[in-house]
Amino acid sequence: MKSLSPDFPVPSLADWRALAEKGLKGAPFETLIGRTADGLAIQPLYAADPDRAVLRARPGLSGDRDRPWDLRTLIDHPEPARANALAHDALTKGAASLLLRLDPAGEAGVTVGSQDDLARALDGVLLDLAPVALDAGFMGAEGANWLAVLAKARPRPPSAFHLDPLSAFAREAPAPAPSAAHVNAAAQAGARHAGAYPRASLFLASGRFVHEAGGTEAQELGVMAAAVVAYLRALEAAGIAPAEGLKRIVLGLSADARYPVQIAKLRAARAIWARIAEACGSDAPAVIEVRSSARMLADRGVHNNLLRLTAAAFAGAVGGAQAVVLDSFTAPLGGDNPLSRRQARNTQLILMEESHLGRVADPAGGAFFFEQLTDDLARAGWAVFQAIEAEGGLAAALLSGSLADDVAGAREALIASTRDGSAPILGVSLYPADEDPVTIDPRPAHAVPAPDVRQAGADDACTPFAPTRLSDHVEAHP
């Protein structure tokens, strides 16, 4: 068949711009230019740019799993027995792995304060077939020790210890001892288990606390990169070379409903990782765990959260995440119910099995818009990373308060945009509507003694990065 393309002229960027200006009827072309939270331009028209780096396609999942990404379910019910039942229910209905949030006080997670408590929460879970990731805050080293003991009977379990004391310090300051002591203790625990568990990841280098506190994409990426370097240094001091340590670090990011920017952010994270890996003499690919943004969810018109969560999951899948964790749409109400738990799983299953998002290695690759925004965000995130390193690293930037000040400025601008209507919230400030009350499962008060996680030295203090929910800052109106 004859190709028709030679019979038609190839339009130039100027041709397209002329058509756009004709439709504007005298309005300036610049009115079509959008901006990200970092002030990066989102142009109405893009063309190929030979000076822009093109991101290489993400690798597929390793091992014997044939899914394009890991559907990970959050388990945070306070009672270990109930948490165990929910874990088994999730695994039998589509989840591939678990994220277990630990909290001896029972306020935000499963009341685990000992190895026996963790054993009750994971009773019957086949740790080599259903990987378990931990979210344990300052208890990370203890949690890793407990999980390592429970996994001994399973062959080469791909556990995710998710040691992340710097995020715990940022969220829960003050730290019970110098933050550096907690980082070193985590690295020692990781090094202790690295040989016995070659498939386990040790650290989670996360920028999520910045996002949840109202930070920008570049700030989240810069903190993520600074965490990678901080944990590599700690692992090297514990006897694990940087090239090997990179293989044991997972990147942690949030995704909200603004999926074009979030896709570019995840691709930028991979580009930043590649540059750090090159400096370490490694070609280890980035492994990213994406969790849905809590700040985007609303406690009014909660069923609208389903749209936001679907967009976040889409961004995670298209952006190249290896694991995606979705909150339930009822999370802002303080818990979940059978429907919201099922929807958190089925949203991903539909994107995976029916929309076939995983059939293409990098769906956004080659699109001029995504390639340029990826490059812009990677450069902006790298600049934030360099500023943090110039201050002495992530712990120093937290202690000085400079990072908190920068994020506070971004949060104020974000809240202002929701209040003035330039960034409306569906079901809250835009098209609010009455909704039948939604009932969540009860969360009974339950607590156990917490282990002593104190390290030697005086407590460190910093300005805590308190999470914000955008819907709390706007009033509903017709």
mmCIF file of all heavy atoms in Angstrom, residues 241 269 468:
data_model
loop_
_atom_site.group_PDB
_atom_site.id
_atom_site.type_symbol
_atom_site.label_atom_id
_atom_site.label_comp_id
_atom_site.label_asym_id
_atom_site.label_seq_id
_atom_site.Cartn_x
_atom_site.Cartn_y
_atom_site.Cartn_z
ATOM 1 N N ALA A 241 29.338 -2.018 49.816
ATOM 2 C CA ALA A 241 29.804 -1.051 48.830
ATOM 3 C C ALA A 241 28.626 -0.369 48.143
ATOM 4 O O ALA A 241 27.553 -0.966 47.994
ATOM 5 C CB ALA A 241 30.686 -1.743 47.795
ATOM 6 N N ALA A 269 12.408 10.579 38.448
ATOM 7 C CA ALA A 269 13.056 9.838 39.536
ATOM 8 C C ALA A 269 13.989 8.773 38.969
ATOM 9 O O ALA A 269 15.095 8.548 39.479
ATOM 10 C CB ALA A 269 12.001 9.195 40.437
ATOM 11 N N THR A 468 -0.794 17.422 55.412
ATOM 12 C CA THR A 468 -1.940 18.301 55.207
ATOM 13 C C THR A 468 -2.917 17.634 54.258
ATOM 14 O O THR A 468 -2.511 16.838 53.402
ATOM 15 C CB THR A 468 -1.495 19.658 54.643
ATOM 16 O OG1 THR A 468 -2.608 20.557 54.615
ATOM 17 C CG2 THR A 468 -0.936 19.519 53.241
#
